[in-house]
Amino acid sequence: MFFGITDIWTYVIGAFLIILLPGPNSLYVLSTAAQRGVRVGYRAAAGVFVGDTVLMVATAAGVASLLRNAVLFAIVKYAGAGYLAWIGFTMLRSAWRSRRGTAEAQEAPAMAAGHPFRKALVISVLNPKAILFFVSFFVQFVDRSYGAPALSFLILGVIIQIFSVLYLSALIFSGTFLATQFQRRRALSAGLTSVVGALFVGFSAKLATASLG
């Protein structure tokens, strides 16, 4: 046992694979970096880091487990689904305007990205799937009889955040390559914005049908 962590290597492998799974957080960071560059991409990534930290702290404190209540879970679930749908439809509308070549087209990327830190933070916090993941994944690796379980949670949190920083950084710098292509080809930019917007609407529908099981 390592500082109250029952099987740290299993956790490390599991956390690494889970971080690689595509989701609304990573997709939002990638699209933001592609549209607005590295600096703004890292603002979005910071929102993800803070949101995940809030969920981890809540899990360690036992607060997140309250969302196993069906009513509270439903409230968070539909709020999160509605927010993802709003982002998706906003991006689809921006892409449509860009294709039409209206005067508003030049503002489309900024409108689609909005406030990246705040949006990424809300996406993270209003994701019941992520909450239940932290509740079930973190808890099983911490020995509650250990004298300082907070230290165990801290170590687990640092590990997954390191993976998150590396993964999101790779996405951000990949996004800068896409950005140069978008500057030359409006149709390509509008096309990818449409795809990302549609994926967000899909994430919304999937989240709305999520269950406690």
Side-chain angles (χ1 to χ4, degrees), residues 81-98:
Y83 191 70
L84 291 181
W86 177 75
I87 292 176
F89 283 121
T90 298
M91 298 183 81
L92 289 172
R93 183 180 62 182
S94 296
W96 179 71
R97 287 176 174 170
S98 181

Side-chain angles (χ1 to χ4, degrees), residues 112-135:
H115 302 280
F117 176 85
R118 183 169 37 181
K119 280 192 175 182
L121 175 60
V122 175
I123 289 171
S124 297
V125 173
L126 288 181
N127 189 344
K129 281 291 189 180
I131 293 171
L132 294 181
F133 156 74
F134 281 120
V135 170

Side-chain angles (χ1 to χ4, degrees), residues 17 64 76 85 99 108 122:
L17 294 176
V76 173
R99 283 198 185 95
V122 175

Side-chain angles (χ1 to χ4, degrees), residues 15-98:
F16 176 75
L17 294 176
I18 288 167
I19 286 294
L20 293 181
L21 291 175
N25 289 352
S26 57
L27 184 61
Y28 181 72
V29 170
L30 174 62
S31 62
T32 299
Q35 292 177 345
R36 302 177 67 181
V38 171
R39 180 177 296 181
V40 182
Y42 270 110
R43 289 181 194 170
V48 175
F49 302 146
V50 173
D52 286 348
T53 299
V54 169
L55 294 182
M56 285 185 280
V57 171
T59 298
V63 176
S65 61
L66 293 175
L67 289 180
R68 291 190 179 275
N69 176 279
V71 175
L72 292 177
F73 180 82
I75 292 172
V76 173
K77 177 177 73 172
Y78 290 120
Y83 191 70
L84 291 181
W86 177 75
I87 292 176
F89 283 121
T90 298
M91 298 183 81
L92 289 172
R93 183 180 62 182
S94 296
W96 179 71
R97 287 176 174 170
S98 181

Side-chain angles (χ1 to χ4, degrees), residues 106-188:
Q106 294 180 350
E107 299 178 13
M111 291 174 60
H115 302 280
F117 176 85
R118 183 169 37 181
K119 280 192 175 182
L121 175 60
V122 175
I123 289 171
S124 297
V125 173
L126 288 181
N127 189 344
K129 281 291 189 180
I131 293 171
L132 294 181
F133 156 74
F134 281 120
V135 170
S136 61
F137 193 69
F138 267 29
V139 172
Q140 65 177 310
F141 289 97
V142 175
D143 183 356
R144 295 287 183 167
S145 65
Y146 181 66
L151 177 60
S152 306
F153 281 111
L154 176 62
I155 294 172
L156 296 179
V158 168
I159 290 172
I160 201 165
Q161 290 288 48
I162 288 174
F163 287 147
S164 183
V165 168
L166 295 174
Y167 178 57
L168 292 181
S169 293
L171 293 181
I172 288 169
F173 286 101
S174 297
T176 58
F177 169 77
L178 295 175
T180 60
Q181 304 303 312
F182 293 162
Q183 290 172 358
R184 301 171 189 166
R185 302 178 180 88
R186 177 185 293 177
L188 179 61

